[in-house]
């Protein structure tokens, strides 16, 4: 196949989206396909030194200059080229390629839901609402979608208002071959990364600090766990937070952690160190308010680490029957009550007999094998092929209309 992948401009600094696009491109080339990656060059953005003016210059690069560049490049592409939009947030570009075979990868609709007032925890400004409508109006013109979870697919249809010919779900494949390391090997990897493993072990949270990661809730849950341990005369485990420096709401939660507890904020770890951290952690705390997918859930399970997460989609899609689930922290609910309930669930998990913990770890590792990178790539390519076949019947009409016959 001849594939053209559209992705976000580098100047936006969207590392996960950039990684996803590169992963696709490398995998497709390895399977013998012809792949081109196209994105705005940031010509105007780079000529504005001030952040506010650079932002608007970036919009010009993305939404005025780049569509013209797209049209010019498409005139040179073979008629059977498939145009792949690596994120539905690239919606404003979709109309340019809507008359050609195309697929849109959809990650989550959280920003659109917020703009529609559906998520009170994340209010959106007027300009943000206009921007999300602009994105939505673009991707609604697409005919073929691939979503990363059933939840994302449902949101795409409900909130996105799409009426597609193709709308399938392909779960993300792990972007690293995560597996459980023995304690000695894992400790050695972490020591090389500059981390000293606590003698009794630790609890763990992985997040990037976004509103939906529920970071204050993680700290509040930990505080309730520490207090329960103290009340019984037991030493609590420390908490490793792979998360940005705490914001005010998180700092308030940290102030309520009893003195016996210890919360350590750590920078992002490379995949090898992260694998080692999962392998030694007693539990991954991941009670998100929402997710598009929830990478840490399956990463931790692949390393034999028990997971406590939220019992709503897509977290329970990704965790299956191997995770422990908490109710979602609802907007305006009593944080202390929610944290107490979560702490009791965590204590029950931590105090499970060794054979029960071993069975849970084995179940998690078996479940995680469903999320293989090669399997995801194979599914994508299968869908792409079917899209090209389905579009072939309509090709004469749009090819003649656009001078491509």
């Amino acid at each position: 196949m001849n594939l053209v992948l559209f992705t976000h401009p580098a100047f936006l600094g969207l590392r996960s989206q950039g990684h996803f696009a590169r992963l696709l491109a490398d995998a497709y080339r390895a399977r013998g396909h012809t792949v081109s990656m196209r994105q705005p060059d940031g010509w105007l953005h780079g000529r504005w030194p001030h952040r506010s003016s650079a932002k608007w210059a970036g919009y010009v690069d993305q939404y005025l200059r780049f569509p013209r560049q797209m049209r010019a490049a498409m005139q040179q592409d073979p008629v059977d080229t498939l145009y792949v939009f690596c994120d539905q947030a690239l919606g404003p570009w979709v109309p340019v390629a809507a008359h050609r075979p195309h697929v849109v990868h959809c990650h989550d609709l959280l920003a659109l839901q917020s703009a529609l007032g559906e998520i009170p925890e994340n209010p959106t400004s007027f300009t943000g609402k206009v921007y999300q409508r602009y994105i939505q109006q673009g991707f609604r013109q697409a005919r073929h979608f691939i979503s990363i979870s059933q939840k994302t697919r449902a949101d795409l249809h409900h909130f996105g208002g799409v009426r597609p010919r193709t709308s399938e779900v392909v779960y993300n494949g792990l972007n690293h071959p995560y597996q459980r390391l023995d304690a000695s090997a894992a400790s050695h990897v972490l020591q090389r990364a500059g981390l000293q493993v606590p003698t009794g072990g630790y609890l763990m949270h992985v997040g990037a600090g976004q509103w939906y990661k529920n970071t204050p809730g993680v700290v509040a849950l930990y505080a309730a766990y520490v207090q329960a341990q103290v009340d019984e005369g037991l030493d609590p485990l420390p908490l490793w937070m792979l998360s940005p420096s705490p914001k005010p709401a998180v700092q308030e939660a940290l102030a309520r952690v009893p003195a016996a507890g210890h919360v350590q904020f750590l920078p992002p770890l490379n995949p090898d160190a992260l694998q080692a951290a999962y392998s030694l952690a007693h539990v991954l705390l991941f009670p998100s308010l929402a997710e598009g997918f929830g990478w840490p859930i399956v990463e931790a399970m692949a390393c034999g680490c028990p997971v406590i997460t939220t019992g709503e989609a897509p977290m329970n899609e990704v965790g299956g029957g191997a995770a422990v689930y908490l109710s979602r922290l609802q907007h305006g609910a009593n944080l202390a009550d929610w944290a107490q309930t979560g702490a009791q669930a965590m204590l029950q998990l931590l105090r499970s007999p060794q054979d029960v913990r071993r069975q849970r770890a084995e179940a998690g590792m078996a479940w995680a094998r469903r999320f293989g990178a090669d399997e995801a790539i194979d599914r994508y390519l299968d869908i792409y092929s079917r899209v090209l076949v389905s579009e072939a019947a309509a090709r004469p009409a749009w090819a003649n209309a656009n001078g491509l016959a």
Side-chain angles (χ1 to χ4, degrees):
M1 286 184 285
N2 187 55
L3 305 173
V4 172
L5 274 56
F6 294 111
T7 188
H8 293 277
F11 61 75
L12 292 181
L14 302 177
R15 289 182 294 179
S16 61
Q17 288 295 334
H19 177 79
F20 178 72
R22 289 189 297 273
L23 183 149
L24 295 186
D26 291 344
Y28 297 161
R29 288 174 181 137
R31 285 164 172 75
H33 300 284
T34 301
V35 181
S36 299
M37 292 184 67
R38 297 177 187 170
Q39 61 188 148
D41 55 19
W43 180 85
L44 190 60
H45 177 272
R47 282 160 172 74
W48 292 86
H50 300 294
R51 183 175 180 180
S52 59
S53 57
K55 173 183 175 181
W56 291 101
Y59 288 150
V60 173
D61 283 327
Q62 294 177 78
Y63 306 126
L64 294 181
R65 294 181 64 246
F66 188 61
R68 291 199 294 270
Q69 295 167 349
M70 286 176 62
R71 292 185 182 94
M74 288 171 63
Q75 291 178 359
Q76 308 301 318
D77 293 331
V79 71
D80 59 349
T81 298
L82 181 71
Y83 296 94
V84 179
F85 295 88
C86 292
D87 184 10
Q88 84 286 341
L90 304 176
W93 304 342
V94 169
V96 180
H99 64 288
R100 301 282 294 267
H102 62 269
V103 172
V104 177
H105 285 270
C106 189
H107 298 275
D108 69 71
L109 277 293
L110 297 178
L112 178 59
Q113 289 176 255
S114 297
L116 295 174
E118 297 289 333
I119 303 179
E121 294 91 344
N122 188 44
T124 304
S125 67
F126 173 77
T127 54
K129 293 176 181 178
V130 171
Y131 185 49
Q132 288 302 316
R133 288 287 191 182
Y134 178 46
I135 292 172
Q136 179 197 33
Q137 289 170 4
F139 70 63
R140 285 183 67 176
Q141 297 188 41
R143 296 184 296 280
H144 307 281
F145 294 88
I146 300 174
S147 299
I148 64 172
S149 68
Q150 296 290 347
K151 176 65 164 57
T152 294
R153 180 182 182 274
D155 290 344
L156 174 67
H157 288 238
H158 181 70
F159 298 108
V162 301
R163 297 293 182 269
R165 294 181 188 173
T166 302
S167 183
E168 301 204 26
V169 173
V170 178
Y171 290 115
N172 285 331
L174 285 168
N175 55 24
H176 180 79
Y178 288 98
Q179 59 183 326
R180 188 171 198 171
L181 303 180
D182 64 53
S184 176
S187 296
H188 181 65
V189 172
L190 291 176
Q191 287 171 3
R192 285 189 302 172
L195 296 174
Q196 186 63 45
V197 179
T199 303
Y202 53 89
L203 310 173
M204 184 173 171
H205 168 73
V206 178
Q210 301 99 324
W211 64 268
Y212 54 86
K213 295 299 183 182
N214 191 21
T215 312
V218 172
V219 176
L221 194 160
Y222 176 70
Y225 152 77
V226 171
Q227 188 60 58
Q229 289 287 91
V230 170
D231 289 344
E232 296 186 32
L234 302 172
D235 293 330
L237 297 169
L239 173 62
W240 280 11
M241 297 283 290
L242 277 67
S243 180
S245 299
K247 298 177 181 178
V250 180
Q251 291 175 347
E252 291 179 14
L254 287 169
R256 298 186 178 93
V257 175
H262 179 66
V263 181
Q264 183 177 359
F265 283 80
L266 302 173
L269 301 178
N270 65 47
D272 289 334
L274 184 59
Q275 174 178 256
Y278 284 135
S279 297
L280 292 178
H282 286 241
V283 174
L284 174 73
L285 297 178
F286 199 73
S288 298
L289 303 178
E291 289 286 341
F293 182 73
W295 283 104
I297 297 172
V298 66
E299 291 171 353
M301 285 183 173
C303 299
C305 176
V307 174
I308 295 179
T309 186
T310 308
E312 293 190 2
M315 288 75 78
N316 53 12
E317 289 183 61
V318 177
V324 174
Y325 295 105
L326 306 179
S327 61
R328 183 188 188 276
L329 176 59
Q330 299 297 329
H331 182 64
N334 187 296
L335 177 60
D337 290 345
W338 175 86
Q340 287 287 347
T341 301
Q344 290 305 311
M346 185 166 68
L347 285 167
Q348 183 176 358
L349 175 60
L350 291 170
R351 296 173 181 177
S352 298
Q354 188 62 34
D355 61 330
V356 174
R357 288 178 57 82
R358 183 175 60 255
Q359 291 171 5
R360 182 176 293 279
E362 291 172 351
M365 289 186 285
W367 177 262
R369 286 194 284 272
R370 296 167 177 254
F371 301 90
D374 287 340
E375 288 80 357
I377 294 298
D378 289 343
R379 287 285 313 281
Y380 293 151
L381 290 171
D382 177 63
I383 294 169
Y384 293 177
S385 296
R386 287 188 277 118
V387 167
L388 283 170
V389 170
S390 71
E391 291 283 309
R395 183 178 301 158
W398 61 254
N400 284 325
N402 292 275
L404 297 171

